[in-house]
PDB file of all heavy atoms in Angstrom:
ATOM      1  N   LEU A 122     159.475 116.713 167.807  1.00 92.00           N
ATOM      2  CA  LEU A 122     158.823 115.964 168.876  1.00 92.00           C
ATOM      3  C   LEU A 122     157.553 115.259 168.360  1.00 92.00           C
ATOM      4  O   LEU A 122     157.280 114.130 168.723  1.00 92.00           O
ATOM      5  CB  LEU A 122     158.467 116.928 169.990  1.00 92.00           C
ATOM      6  CG  LEU A 122     157.753 116.396 171.227  1.00 92.00           C
ATOM      7  CD1 LEU A 122     158.689 115.472 171.986  1.00 92.00           C
ATOM      8  CD2 LEU A 122     157.284 117.542 172.113  1.00 92.00           C
ATOM      9  N   GLU A 123     156.790 115.920 167.529  1.00 91.00           N
ATOM     10  CA  GLU A 123     155.516 115.407 167.022  1.00 91.00           C
ATOM     11  C   GLU A 123     155.701 114.138 166.200  1.00 91.00           C
ATOM     12  O   GLU A 123     154.832 113.314 166.060  1.00 91.00           O
ATOM     13  CB  GLU A 123     154.802 116.444 166.255  1.00 91.00           C
ATOM     14  CG  GLU A 123     154.152 117.525 167.117  1.00 91.00           C
ATOM     15  CD  GLU A 123     153.480 118.666 166.381  1.00 91.00           C
ATOM     16  OE1 GLU A 123     153.815 118.863 165.191  1.00 91.00           O
ATOM     17  OE2 GLU A 123     152.681 119.345 167.014  1.00 91.00           O
ATOM     18  N   LYS A 124     156.943 113.965 165.634  1.00 90.00           N
ATOM     19  CA  LYS A 124     157.204 112.776 164.886  1.00 90.00           C
ATOM     20  C   LYS A 124     157.165 111.532 165.749  1.00 90.00           C
ATOM     21  O   LYS A 124     156.942 110.409 165.289  1.00 90.00           O
ATOM     22  CB  LYS A 124     158.593 112.864 164.218  1.00 90.00           C
ATOM     23  CG  LYS A 124     158.665 113.875 163.099  1.00 90.00           C
ATOM     24  CD  LYS A 124     160.040 113.940 162.568  1.00 90.00           C
ATOM     25  CE  LYS A 124     160.189 115.061 161.483  1.00 90.00           C
ATOM     26  NZ  LYS A 124     161.533 115.275 161.033  1.00 90.00           N
ATOM     27  N   ASN A 125     157.357 111.711 167.042  1.00 87.00           N
ATOM     28  CA  ASN A 125     157.308 110.567 168.025  1.00 87.00           C
ATOM     29  C   ASN A 125     155.996 110.439 168.754  1.00 87.00           C
ATOM     30  O   ASN A 125     155.842 109.670 169.643  1.00 87.00           O
ATOM     31  CB  ASN A 125     158.457 110.747 169.054  1.00 87.00           C
ATOM     32  CG  ASN A 125     159.769 110.751 168.411  1.00 87.00           C
ATOM     33  OD1 ASN A 125     160.053 109.983 167.529  1.00 87.00           O
ATOM     34  ND2 ASN A 125     160.632 111.689 168.868  1.00 87.00           N
ATOM     35  N   MET A 126     155.013 111.224 168.356  1.00 87.00           N
ATOM     36  CA  MET A 126     153.717 111.257 169.050  1.00 87.00           C
ATOM     37  C   MET A 126     152.682 110.587 168.157  1.00 87.00           C
ATOM     38  O   MET A 126     152.671 110.751 166.940  1.00 87.00           O
ATOM     39  CB  MET A 126     153.306 112.676 169.375  1.00 87.00           C
ATOM     40  CG  MET A 126     154.229 113.396 170.341  1.00 87.00           C
ATOM     41  SD  MET A 126     153.777 115.124 170.597  1.00 87.00           S
ATOM     42  CE  MET A 126     152.267 114.917 171.568  1.00 87.00           C
ATOM     43  N   LEU A 127     151.791 109.889 168.777  1.00 83.00           N
ATOM     44  CA  LEU A 127     150.677 109.237 168.071  1.00 83.00           C
ATOM     45  C   LEU A 127     149.658 110.281 167.587  1.00 83.00           C
ATOM     46  O   LEU A 127     149.080 110.102 166.551  1.00 83.00           O
ATOM     47  CB  LEU A 127     150.017 108.150 168.963  1.00 83.00           C
ATOM     48  CG  LEU A 127     150.892 106.978 169.337  1.00 83.00           C
ATOM     49  CD1 LEU A 127     150.120 106.089 170.346  1.00 83.00           C
ATOM     50  CD2 LEU A 127     151.351 106.219 168.139  1.00 83.00           C
ATOM     51  N   ARG A 128     149.504 111.247 168.383  1.00 81.00           N
ATOM     52  CA  ARG A 128     148.462 112.333 168.103  1.00 81.00           C
ATOM     53  C   ARG A 128     149.047 113.669 168.462  1.00 81.00           C
ATOM     54  O   ARG A 128     149.591 113.837 169.539  1.00 81.00           O
ATOM     55  CB  ARG A 128     147.287 112.055 168.943  1.00 81.00           C
ATOM     56  CG  ARG A 128     146.090 112.878 168.546  1.00 81.00           C
ATOM     57  CD  ARG A 128     144.888 112.372 169.278  1.00 81.00           C
ATOM     58  NE  ARG A 128     143.996 113.509 169.492  1.00 81.00           N
ATOM     59  CZ  ARG A 128     143.112 113.632 170.413  1.00 81.00           C
ATOM     60  NH1 ARG A 128     142.891 112.583 171.203  1.00 81.00           N
ATOM     61  NH2 ARG A 128     142.386 114.695 170.562  1.00 81.00           N
ATOM     62  N   THR A 129     148.970 114.615 167.548  1.00 79.00           N
ATOM     63  CA  THR A 129     149.532 115.946 167.802  1.00 79.00           C
ATOM     64  C   THR A 129     148.514 116.839 168.391  1.00 79.00           C
ATOM     65  O   THR A 129     147.341 116.641 168.318  1.00 79.00           O
ATOM     66  CB  THR A 129     150.145 116.556 166.479  1.00 79.00           C
ATOM     67  OG1 THR A 129     149.030 116.706 165.568  1.00 79.00           O
ATOM     68  CG2 THR A 129     151.213 115.707 165.952  1.00 79.00           C
ATOM     69  N   SER A 130     148.987 117.948 169.002  1.00 75.00           N
ATOM     70  CA  SER A 130     148.148 118.944 169.582  1.00 75.00           C
ATOM     71  C   SER A 130     147.811 120.031 168.617  1.00 75.00           C
ATOM     72  O   SER A 130     148.698 120.874 168.372  1.00 75.00           O
ATOM     73  CB  SER A 130     148.846 119.510 170.822  1.00 75.00           C
ATOM     74  OG  SER A 130     148.068 120.438 171.483  1.00 75.00           O
ATOM     75  N   LEU A 131     146.610 119.979 168.019  1.00 69.00           N
ATOM     76  CA  LEU A 131     146.337 120.944 166.980  1.00 69.00           C
ATOM     77  C   LEU A 131     145.736 122.247 167.474  1.00 69.00           C
ATOM     78  O   LEU A 131     145.826 123.303 166.768  1.00 69.00           O
ATOM     79  CB  LEU A 131     145.297 120.281 165.971  1.00 69.00           C
ATOM     80  CG  LEU A 131     145.738 119.023 165.313  1.00 69.00           C
ATOM     81  CD1 LEU A 131     144.640 118.338 164.534  1.00 69.00           C
ATOM     82  CD2 LEU A 131     146.991 119.253 164.467  1.00 69.00           C
ATOM     83  N   LYS A 132     145.166 122.230 168.610  1.00 79.00           N
ATOM     84  CA  LYS A 132     144.595 123.453 169.221  1.00 79.00           C
ATOM     85  C   LYS A 132     143.674 124.223 168.298  1.00 79.00           C
ATOM     86  O   LYS A 132     143.661 125.409 168.171  1.00 79.00           O
ATOM     87  CB  LYS A 132     145.706 124.421 169.671  1.00 79.00           C
ATOM     88  CG  LYS A 132     146.699 123.834 170.643  1.00 79.00           C
ATOM     89  CD  LYS A 132     146.225 123.769 172.013  1.00 79.00           C
ATOM     90  CE  LYS A 132     147.376 123.283 172.945  1.00 79.00           C
ATOM     91  NZ  LYS A 132     147.002 122.183 173.785  1.00 79.00           N
ATOM     92  N   GLY A 133     142.822 123.428 167.555  1.00 74.00           N
ATOM     93  CA  GLY A 133     141.789 124.061 166.726  1.00 74.00           C
ATOM     94  C   GLY A 133     142.296 124.983 165.613  1.00 74.00           C
ATOM     95  O   GLY A 133     141.630 125.990 165.284  1.00 74.00           O
ATOM     96  N   GLY A 134     143.493 124.750 165.062  1.00 87.00           N
ATOM     97  CA  GLY A 134     143.998 125.555 164.006  1.00 87.00           C
ATOM     98  C   GLY A 134     144.912 126.690 164.503  1.00 87.00           C
ATOM     99  O   GLY A 134     145.575 127.363 163.678  1.00 87.00           O
ATOM    100  N   VAL A 135     144.886 126.963 165.817  1.00 91.00           N
ATOM    101  CA  VAL A 135     145.652 128.086 166.350  1.00 91.00           C
ATOM    102  C   VAL A 135     147.222 127.754 166.162  1.00 91.00           C
ATOM    103  O   VAL A 135     147.900 128.677 165.744  1.00 91.00           O
ATOM    104  CB  VAL A 135     145.359 128.296 167.846  1.00 91.00           C
ATOM    105  CG1 VAL A 135     146.336 129.290 168.469  1.00 91.00           C
ATOM    106  CG2 VAL A 135     143.955 128.739 167.992  1.00 91.00           C
ATOM    107  N   THR A 136     147.607 126.529 166.312  1.00 92.00           N
ATOM    108  CA  THR A 136     149.006 126.178 166.151  1.00 92.00           C
ATOM    109  C   THR A 136     149.429 126.402 164.723  1.00 92.00           C
ATOM    110  O   THR A 136     150.457 127.000 164.449  1.00 92.00           O
ATOM    111  CB  THR A 136     149.203 124.729 166.557  1.00 92.00           C
ATOM    112  OG1 THR A 136     148.743 124.573 167.900  1.00 92.00           O
ATOM    113  CG2 THR A 136     150.634 124.307 166.450  1.00 92.00           C
ATOM    114  N   ALA A 137     148.609 125.955 163.787  1.00 93.00           N
ATOM    115  CA  ALA A 137     148.954 126.188 162.346  1.00 93.00           C
ATOM    116  C   ALA A 137     149.007 127.657 161.997  1.00 93.00           C
ATOM    117  O   ALA A 137     149.917 128.110 161.272  1.00 93.00           O
ATOM    118  CB  ALA A 137     147.963 125.437 161.396  1.00 93.00           C
ATOM    119  N   PHE A 138     148.091 128.376 162.559  1.00 93.00           N
ATOM    120  CA  PHE A 138     148.017 129.844 162.283  1.00 93.00           C
ATOM    121  C   PHE A 138     149.295 130.492 162.761  1.00 93.00           C
ATOM    122  O   PHE A 138     149.933 131.284 161.993  1.00 93.00           O
ATOM    123  CB  PHE A 138     146.794 130.446 162.947  1.00 93.00           C
ATOM    124  CG  PHE A 138     146.711 131.964 162.910  1.00 93.00           C
ATOM    125  CD1 PHE A 138     146.513 132.599 161.720  1.00 93.00           C
ATOM    126  CD2 PHE A 138     146.900 132.689 164.065  1.00 93.00           C
ATOM    127  CE1 PHE A 138     146.480 134.000 161.676  1.00 93.00           C
ATOM    128  CE2 PHE A 138     146.837 134.102 164.039  1.00 93.00           C
ATOM    129  CZ  PHE A 138     146.610 134.710 162.824  1.00 93.00           C
ATOM    130  N   TYR A 139     149.688 130.278 164.039  1.00 95.00           N
ATOM    131  CA  TYR A 139     150.916 130.871 164.498  1.00 95.00           C
ATOM    132  C   TYR A 139     152.145 130.359 163.840  1.00 95.00           C
ATOM    133  O   TYR A 139     153.132 131.114 163.591  1.00 95.00           O
ATOM    134  CB  TYR A 139     151.025 130.809 166.022  1.00 95.00           C
ATOM    135  CG  TYR A 139     150.316 131.905 166.714  1.00 95.00           C
ATOM    136  CD1 TYR A 139     149.017 131.688 167.219  1.00 95.00           C
ATOM    137  CD2 TYR A 139     150.866 133.168 166.856  1.00 95.00           C
ATOM    138  CE1 TYR A 139     148.273 132.748 167.845  1.00 95.00           C
ATOM    139  CE2 TYR A 139     150.170 134.200 167.448  1.00 95.00           C
ATOM    140  CZ  TYR A 139     148.918 133.984 167.941  1.00 95.00           C
ATOM    141  OH  TYR A 139     148.210 135.032 168.549  1.00 95.00           O
ATOM    142  N   ASP A 140     152.172 129.091 163.451  1.00 94.00           N
ATOM    143  CA  ASP A 140     153.256 128.548 162.700  1.00 94.00           C
ATOM    144  C   ASP A 140     153.451 129.370 161.380  1.00 94.00           C
ATOM    145  O   ASP A 140     154.538 129.742 161.010  1.00 94.00           O
ATOM    146  CB  ASP A 140     153.060 127.077 162.343  1.00 94.00           C
ATOM    147  CG  ASP A 140     153.273 126.083 163.455  1.00 94.00           C
ATOM    148  OD1 ASP A 140     153.635 126.569 164.592  1.00 94.00           O
ATOM    149  OD2 ASP A 140     153.067 124.912 163.278  1.00 94.00           O
ATOM    150  N   GLY A 141     152.296 129.647 160.777  1.00 93.00           N
ATOM    151  CA  GLY A 141     152.329 130.442 159.523  1.00 93.00           C
ATOM    152  C   GLY A 141     152.886 131.850 159.760  1.00 93.00           C
ATOM    153  O   GLY A 141     153.712 132.308 158.969  1.00 93.00           O
ATOM    154  N   LEU A 142     152.438 132.481 160.801  1.00 94.00           N
ATOM    155  CA  LEU A 142     152.971 133.788 161.091  1.00 94.00           C
ATOM    156  C   LEU A 142     154.457 133.787 161.393  1.00 94.00           C
ATOM    157  O   LEU A 142     155.213 134.676 160.932  1.00 94.00           O
ATOM    158  CB  LEU A 142     152.180 134.429 162.259  1.00 94.00           C
ATOM    159  CG  LEU A 142     150.718 134.760 162.064  1.00 94.00           C
ATOM    160  CD1 LEU A 142     150.092 135.278 163.368  1.00 94.00           C
ATOM    161  CD2 LEU A 142     150.562 135.813 160.995  1.00 94.00           C
TER     162      LEU A 142
END
Side-chain angles (χ1 to χ4, degrees):
L122 180 67
E123 287 174 340
K124 291 177 184 175
N125 299 316
M126 296 175 72
L127 296 175
R128 190 171 149 202
T129 60
S130 182
L131 300 174
K132 307 280 188 231
V135 172
T136 304
F138 173 69
Y139 274 99
D140 286 358
L142 292 175

